[in-house]
Amino acid sequence: MPETVCQLALERVLTFLCDSGVDLDSETCRTALRLVDDALTEGDGPDLTARCVDRVPEYFSLPEMNVPLAGPPLERGHIGYYPHD
């Protein structure tokens, strides 16, 4: 049986919460269901999933994420190649 748009939206919200470090207990799931239900009042178009994920901060307190720097600061340099005349 193919998934409906609201099933995909709920799955995406729960995955987002889990990946953000939120415990998926029964209260979290019930709040996620309310979120999707509220978003469905505006229609079940293809943008439903995006609207649901955008609303997550309105319904949940997400843990602060500390993203490490990608690498050391870049410095200008060369590797020894010189053009020939």
Side-chain angles (χ1 to χ4, degrees), residues 6-79:
C6 65
Q7 286 174 309
L8 292 172
L10 180 61
E11 180 181 3
R12 184 67 56 89
V13 167
L14 292 174
T15 299
F16 182 88
L17 291 170
C18 184
D19 289 348
S20 296
V22 175
D23 290 329
L24 297 183
D25 57 15
S26 61
E27 186 58 36
T28 301
C29 292
R30 291 176 64 210
T31 303
L33 284 167
R34 280 193 299 276
L35 183 157
V36 174
D37 184 50
D38 291 346
L40 278 169
T41 62
E42 298 171 9
D44 63 350
D47 65 332
L48 176 65
T49 300
R51 284 187 283 127
C52 289
V53 172
D54 288 344
R55 290 181 180 197
V56 165
E58 298 171 25
Y59 288 78
F60 297 95
S61 296
L62 299 175
E64 188 173 324
M65 294 176 35
N66 295 321
V67 179
L69 296 175
L74 295 177
E75 294 184 20
R76 190 173 173 100
H78 66 84
I79 56 174

